[in-house]
Amino acid sequence: VLVMDYWRGEPLSRAVEAMEARGIDPDSPEAQLFGRKLLSALTEAFGLTILEGGFFHADPHPGNIFVLDDGRVGLIDFGQVKQIGARASTTLAKVMVALAARGAGGGEGEDEDEAQLDEISRLALELGVRLRDGSPREGPAATAIWLFDGSVDTLPGGFDTNELSPNSPVKVLQSFPQELTLVGRSTVLIKGIASRLGVRWSLASEWAPIARRLLARQSAARSPFGAPPRLRSIVRLLGQWAAAKLSAVVLALPPPLRRLVAAVALRCSKRGSSPTGQLATQS
Protein backbone atom coordinates (compact mmCIF):
# COMPACT_ATOMS: atom_id res chain seq x y z
CA VAL A 1 0.00 0.00 0.00
CA LEU A 2 1.42 3.38 -1.02
CA VAL A 3 0.55 6.11 1.46
CA MET A 4 1.29 9.76 0.74
CA ASP A 5 0.78 13.06 2.51
CA TYR A 6 -0.16 16.33 0.89
CA TRP A 7 2.31 19.08 1.71
CA ARG A 8 1.56 22.74 1.15
CA GLY A 9 4.62 24.58 -0.10
CA GLU A 10 6.84 25.41 -3.04
CA PRO A 11 9.83 23.58 -4.54
CA LEU A 12 13.17 25.22 -3.92
CA SER A 13 13.39 25.92 -7.65
CA ARG A 14 10.51 28.43 -7.19
CA ALA A 15 11.49 29.70 -3.75
CA VAL A 16 12.47 33.19 -4.96
CA GLU A 17 9.13 33.69 -6.73
CA ALA A 18 7.28 32.44 -3.62
CA MET A 19 9.17 34.90 -1.41
CA GLU A 20 8.41 37.80 -3.71
CA ALA A 21 4.72 36.82 -3.77
CA ARG A 22 4.70 37.06 0.03
CA GLY A 23 6.40 40.44 -0.07
CA ILE A 24 9.76 39.10 1.16
CA ASP A 25 12.89 40.58 -0.42
CA PRO A 26 15.19 37.65 -1.46
CA ASP A 27 18.15 39.68 -0.13
CA SER A 28 16.51 40.50 3.21
CA PRO A 29 17.69 39.13 6.58
CA GLU A 30 14.54 36.98 6.67
CA ALA A 31 15.48 35.30 3.37
CA GLN A 32 19.13 34.88 4.42
CA LEU A 33 18.07 33.33 7.70
CA PHE A 34 15.89 30.84 5.87
CA GLY A 35 18.80 30.03 3.54
CA ARG A 36 20.97 29.17 6.52
CA LYS A 37 18.17 27.10 8.03
CA LEU A 38 17.81 25.24 4.73
CA LEU A 39 21.55 24.61 4.61
CA SER A 40 21.60 23.29 8.17
CA ALA A 41 18.52 21.09 7.68
CA LEU A 42 19.82 19.46 4.49
CA THR A 43 23.26 18.95 6.01
CA GLU A 44 21.81 17.19 9.05
CA ALA A 45 19.31 15.15 7.02
CA PHE A 46 21.91 13.79 4.61
CA GLY A 47 24.45 13.27 7.40
CA LEU A 48 21.98 11.20 9.43
CA THR A 49 20.72 9.15 6.48
CA ILE A 50 24.13 8.54 4.91
CA LEU A 51 26.09 7.76 8.06
CA GLU A 52 23.48 6.41 10.48
CA GLY A 53 20.58 5.18 8.38
CA GLY A 54 22.47 3.61 5.49
CA PHE A 55 19.73 4.61 3.00
CA PHE A 56 19.64 8.13 1.62
CA HIS A 57 17.90 10.26 -1.03
CA ALA A 58 19.95 9.74 -4.19
CA ASP A 59 18.32 12.36 -6.42
CA PRO A 60 18.67 15.69 -4.59
CA HIS A 61 17.85 18.71 -6.75
CA PRO A 62 15.82 21.91 -6.24
CA GLY A 63 12.65 20.28 -7.60
CA ASN A 64 12.78 17.59 -4.91
CA ILE A 65 13.34 20.00 -2.02
CA PHE A 66 10.18 21.72 -0.79
CA VAL A 67 9.80 24.85 1.31
CA LEU A 68 6.65 24.14 3.33
CA ASP A 69 4.17 26.83 4.35
CA ASP A 70 5.03 26.30 8.04
CA GLY A 71 8.71 27.05 7.41
CA ARG A 72 9.99 23.49 7.43
CA VAL A 73 12.04 21.95 4.63
CA GLY A 74 10.82 18.74 3.02
CA LEU A 75 12.38 16.12 0.77
CA ILE A 76 10.09 14.43 -1.75
CA ASP A 77 10.36 11.73 -4.44
CA PHE A 78 12.28 8.88 -2.90
CA GLY A 79 12.04 6.91 -6.14
CA GLN A 80 15.83 6.81 -6.24
CA VAL A 81 17.61 5.90 -3.02
CA LYS A 82 21.04 4.50 -2.35
CA GLN A 83 22.31 2.12 0.28
CA ILE A 84 25.81 2.55 1.62
CA GLY A 85 27.49 -0.48 3.12
CA ALA A 86 28.50 -0.72 6.77
CA ARG A 87 32.22 -0.81 5.97
CA ALA A 88 32.09 2.23 3.68
CA SER A 89 29.92 4.07 6.22
CA THR A 90 32.47 3.40 8.96
CA THR A 91 35.39 4.58 6.82
CA LEU A 92 33.45 7.66 5.73
CA ALA A 93 32.74 8.46 9.38
CA LYS A 94 36.48 8.24 10.12
CA VAL A 95 37.15 10.62 7.22
CA MET A 96 34.70 13.15 8.70
CA VAL A 97 36.33 12.95 12.12
CA ALA A 98 39.84 13.30 10.64
CA LEU A 99 38.83 16.28 8.47
CA ALA A 100 37.08 17.99 11.39
CA ALA A 101 40.18 17.51 13.54
CA ARG A 102 42.30 19.03 10.78
CA GLY A 103 39.97 22.03 10.56
CA ALA A 104 39.89 22.53 14.31
CA GLY A 105 43.68 22.47 14.44
CA GLY A 106 44.01 25.09 11.72
CA GLY A 107 46.13 22.70 9.68
CA GLU A 108 46.22 24.57 6.40
CA GLY A 109 49.09 25.93 4.33
CA GLU A 110 52.49 26.01 6.04
CA ASP A 111 51.03 24.60 9.28
CA GLU A 112 49.86 21.42 7.51
CA ASP A 113 50.40 18.25 9.56
CA GLU A 114 51.86 15.63 7.18
CA ALA A 115 50.91 12.72 9.44
CA GLN A 116 47.33 14.00 9.53
CA LEU A 117 47.26 14.31 5.74
CA ASP A 118 48.68 10.81 5.34
CA GLU A 119 45.88 9.45 7.55
CA ILE A 120 43.20 11.27 5.51
CA SER A 121 44.79 9.97 2.30
CA ARG A 122 44.85 6.42 3.70
CA LEU A 123 41.17 6.61 4.56
CA ALA A 124 40.30 8.08 1.13
CA LEU A 125 42.15 5.22 -0.55
CA GLU A 126 40.33 2.77 1.73
CA LEU A 127 37.05 4.23 0.47
CA GLY A 128 38.15 3.45 -3.09
CA VAL A 129 39.43 6.80 -4.38
CA ARG A 130 42.06 6.22 -7.09
CA LEU A 131 44.22 8.87 -8.77
CA ARG A 132 46.19 8.84 -11.99
CA ASP A 133 49.80 7.73 -11.97
CA GLY A 134 52.21 10.50 -11.04
CA SER A 135 49.68 12.44 -8.97
CA PRO A 136 50.98 14.24 -5.85
CA ARG A 137 51.08 12.18 -2.67
CA GLU A 138 48.52 14.52 -1.08
CA GLY A 139 46.04 13.83 -3.89
CA PRO A 140 43.64 11.52 -2.01
CA ALA A 141 43.56 13.87 1.00
CA ALA A 142 43.02 16.90 -1.25
CA THR A 143 40.09 15.10 -2.92
CA ALA A 144 38.45 14.38 0.46
CA ILE A 145 38.99 17.96 1.67
CA TRP A 146 37.61 19.42 -1.58
CA LEU A 147 34.51 17.22 -1.38
CA PHE A 148 33.67 17.61 2.32
CA ASP A 149 35.19 20.87 3.54
CA GLY A 150 34.09 24.03 1.75
CA SER A 151 35.56 26.27 4.45
CA VAL A 152 39.16 26.03 3.23
CA ASP A 153 40.92 28.47 0.92
CA THR A 154 43.70 26.13 -0.21
CA LEU A 155 44.25 22.42 -0.71
CA PRO A 156 47.42 20.42 -0.01
CA GLY A 157 49.65 19.27 -2.86
CA GLY A 158 49.21 22.49 -4.86
CA PHE A 159 45.61 21.67 -5.77
CA ASP A 160 42.94 24.34 -6.32
CA THR A 161 39.54 24.44 -4.62
CA ASN A 162 37.88 25.50 -7.90
CA GLU A 163 36.64 22.31 -9.59
CA LEU A 164 36.99 23.95 -13.03
CA SER A 165 40.66 24.79 -12.45
CA PRO A 166 43.27 22.64 -14.24
CA ASN A 167 44.79 22.15 -10.77
CA SER A 168 41.57 20.77 -9.26
CA PRO A 169 41.88 17.33 -7.61
CA VAL A 170 38.98 16.28 -9.85
CA LYS A 171 41.36 16.46 -12.83
CA VAL A 172 43.62 13.72 -11.46
CA LEU A 173 40.85 11.34 -10.39
CA GLN A 174 41.14 8.00 -12.12
CA SER A 175 38.15 6.41 -10.42
CA PHE A 176 35.73 7.19 -7.63
CA PRO A 177 33.91 4.49 -5.63
CA GLN A 178 30.54 3.83 -7.24
CA GLU A 179 28.99 3.36 -3.81
CA LEU A 180 29.83 6.97 -2.95
CA THR A 181 29.11 8.67 -6.28
CA LEU A 182 25.61 9.67 -5.17
CA VAL A 183 26.98 10.82 -1.80
CA GLY A 184 29.05 13.21 -3.89
CA ARG A 185 25.88 14.57 -5.53
CA SER A 186 24.49 15.43 -2.10
CA THR A 187 27.69 17.18 -1.04
CA VAL A 188 27.87 19.18 -4.28
CA LEU A 189 24.25 20.33 -3.78
CA ILE A 190 24.95 21.49 -0.22
CA LYS A 191 28.22 23.16 -1.23
CA GLY A 192 26.37 24.99 -4.01
CA ILE A 193 23.75 26.34 -1.60
CA ALA A 194 26.48 27.45 0.81
CA SER A 195 28.33 29.21 -2.02
CA ARG A 196 25.12 30.96 -3.12
CA LEU A 197 24.62 32.19 0.45
CA GLY A 198 28.25 33.23 0.81
CA VAL A 199 28.65 30.91 3.83
CA ARG A 200 31.90 29.06 4.56
CA TRP A 201 30.53 25.59 5.26
CA SER A 202 32.39 22.46 6.27
CA LEU A 203 30.32 19.32 5.83
CA ALA A 204 33.02 17.42 7.69
CA SER A 205 32.66 19.62 10.78
CA GLU A 206 28.86 19.40 10.66
CA TRP A 207 28.85 15.63 10.13
CA ALA A 208 31.63 14.89 12.65
CA PRO A 209 29.26 14.62 15.69
CA ILE A 210 27.11 12.14 13.76
CA ALA A 211 30.24 10.24 12.73
CA ARG A 212 31.51 10.09 16.31
CA ARG A 213 28.16 8.73 17.51
CA LEU A 214 28.29 6.02 14.86
CA LEU A 215 31.84 5.02 15.74
CA ALA A 216 31.03 5.08 19.47
CA ARG A 217 28.04 2.79 18.97
CA GLN A 218 30.11 0.39 16.93
CA SER A 219 32.77 0.36 19.62
CA ALA A 220 30.15 -0.16 22.34
CA ALA A 221 28.57 -3.01 20.39
CA ARG A 222 31.90 -4.84 20.55
CA SER A 223 32.11 -4.18 24.30
CA PRO A 224 30.72 -6.73 26.79
CA PHE A 225 28.95 -3.82 28.57
CA GLY A 226 26.72 -2.96 25.59
CA ALA A 227 25.79 0.41 24.14
CA PRO A 228 25.66 3.64 26.21
CA PRO A 229 22.35 5.41 26.94
CA ARG A 230 21.03 7.50 24.05
CA LEU A 231 20.30 10.60 26.13
CA ARG A 232 21.88 12.93 23.59
CA SER A 233 19.61 11.61 20.84
CA ILE A 234 16.55 12.28 23.02
CA VAL A 235 17.74 15.80 23.83
CA ARG A 236 18.40 16.46 20.13
CA LEU A 237 14.87 15.34 19.20
CA LEU A 238 13.39 17.60 21.89
CA GLY A 239 15.45 20.50 20.54
CA GLN A 240 14.17 19.86 17.01
CA TRP A 241 10.57 19.76 18.26
CA ALA A 242 11.05 23.06 20.10
CA ALA A 243 12.64 24.67 17.02
CA ALA A 244 9.67 23.62 14.88
CA LYS A 245 7.21 25.13 17.37
CA LEU A 246 9.24 28.37 17.48
CA SER A 247 9.28 28.57 13.67
CA ALA A 248 5.48 28.27 13.58
CA VAL A 249 5.14 31.12 16.10
CA VAL A 250 7.53 33.38 14.14
CA LEU A 251 5.70 32.73 10.86
CA ALA A 252 2.44 33.86 12.48
CA LEU A 253 3.89 37.28 13.43
CA PRO A 254 3.04 40.44 11.44
CA PRO A 255 5.59 41.01 8.61
CA PRO A 256 7.38 44.02 10.24
CA LEU A 257 7.88 42.14 13.51
CA ARG A 258 8.84 38.97 11.64
CA ARG A 259 11.54 40.85 9.72
CA LEU A 260 12.90 42.29 12.97
CA VAL A 261 13.06 38.84 14.59
CA ALA A 262 14.74 37.44 11.45
CA ALA A 263 17.40 40.18 11.46
CA VAL A 264 18.27 39.49 15.12
CA ALA A 265 18.33 35.73 14.56
CA LEU A 266 20.56 36.14 11.49
CA ARG A 267 23.10 38.18 13.46
CA CYS A 268 23.13 35.54 16.20
CA SER A 269 23.50 32.80 13.60
CA LYS A 270 26.54 34.46 12.03
CA ARG A 271 28.20 34.93 15.42
CA GLY A 272 27.48 31.52 16.85
CA SER A 273 27.16 27.99 15.59
CA SER A 274 25.14 26.89 12.58
CA PRO A 275 21.39 27.30 12.89
CA THR A 276 19.13 24.33 13.45
CA GLY A 277 16.65 23.38 10.79
CA GLN A 278 13.68 21.06 10.57
CA LEU A 279 13.36 18.69 7.65
CA ALA A 280 10.55 16.33 6.79
CA THR A 281 10.50 13.55 4.22
CA GLN A 282 7.94 12.20 1.81
CA SER A 283 8.16 9.29 -0.58
Side-chain angles (χ1 to χ4, degrees):
V1 178
L2 179 63
V3 179
M4 299 180 68
D5 294 325
Y6 180 75
W7 284 352
R8 294 186 179 276
E10 296 285 345
L12 186 59
S13 55
R14 296 204 299 265
V16 173
E17 291 88 342
M19 285 182 184
E20 290 175 342
R22 289 188 176 192
I24 300 174
D25 182 353
D27 295 323
S28 68
E30 189 175 356
Q32 293 179 43
L33 183 63
F34 171 76
R36 286 170 171 262
K37 177 181 175 180
L38 168 69
L39 186 59
S40 181
L42 290 176
T43 297
E44 182 178 22
F46 280 105
L48 289 172
T49 53
I50 290 170
L51 293 173
E52 288 194 344
F55 284 93
F56 62 96
H57 197 303
D59 188 24
H61 61 75
N64 281 344
I65 301 171
F66 260 59
V67 181
L68 306 186
D69 288 350
D70 63 3
R72 291 181 300 159
V73 179
L75 288 177
I76 67 167
D77 189 4
F78 279 73
Q80 184 179 3
V81 296
K82 178 67 177 175
Q83 182 178 16
I84 181 171
R87 182 174 179 180
S89 179
T90 298
T91 305
L92 186 60
K94 292 178 179 178
V95 170
M96 297 303 110
V97 172
L99 289 175
R102 173 183 181 271
E108 189 177 347
E110 296 180 357
D111 298 329
E112 197 74 71
D113 186 330
E114 290 189 8
Q116 201 172 45
L117 280 182
D118 287 343
E119 174 62 8
I120 296 172
S121 285
R122 184 190 70 77
L123 291 169
L125 292 172
E126 186 177 316
L127 277 175
V129 173
R130 296 292 180 269
L131 303 185
R132 296 174 183 171
D133 292 339
S135 299
R137 185 180 101 180
E138 302 90 346
T143 302
I145 296 167
W146 171 80
L147 195 57
F148 296 109
D149 190 355
S151 67
V152 300
D153 294 318
T154 60
L155 295 175
F159 289 102
D160 198 320
T161 56
N162 185 347
E163 62 187 271
L164 300 179
S165 167
N167 292 325
S168 167
V170 177
K171 304 297 183 182
V172 297
L173 270 178
Q174 179 176 324
S175 64
F176 193 78
Q178 185 177 6
E179 191 173 26
L180 298 179
T181 299
L182 295 177
V183 173
R185 286 184 63 180
S186 303
T187 64
V188 168
L189 170 72
I190 295 171
K191 285 175 60 179
I193 294 174
S195 176
R196 179 73 179 269
L197 294 171
V199 178
R200 297 169 67 90
W201 196 256
S202 170
L203 274 171
S205 296
E206 298 296 324
W207 284 358
I210 301 171
R212 293 189 187 100
R213 289 200 303 269
L214 171 66
L215 297 174
R217 281 202 301 272
Q218 291 176 342
S219 177
R222 294 190 294 268
S223 168
F225 301 104
R230 302 186 66 180
L231 179 61
R232 290 184 181 177
S233 297
I234 296 172
V235 171
R236 187 174 71 253
L237 286 174
L238 287 174
Q240 292 173 346
W241 174 83
K245 294 296 183 183
L246 181 60
S247 294
V249 171
V250 171
L251 285 171
L253 295 174
L257 186 55
R258 194 176 62 215
R259 285 193 291 270
L260 178 61
V261 172
V264 173
L266 181 62
R267 285 198 296 270
C268 293
S269 173
K270 290 180 177 180
R271 291 175 184 171
S273 58
S274 61
T276 57
Q278 295 301 307
L279 187 142
T281 60
Q282 185 183 75
S283 59

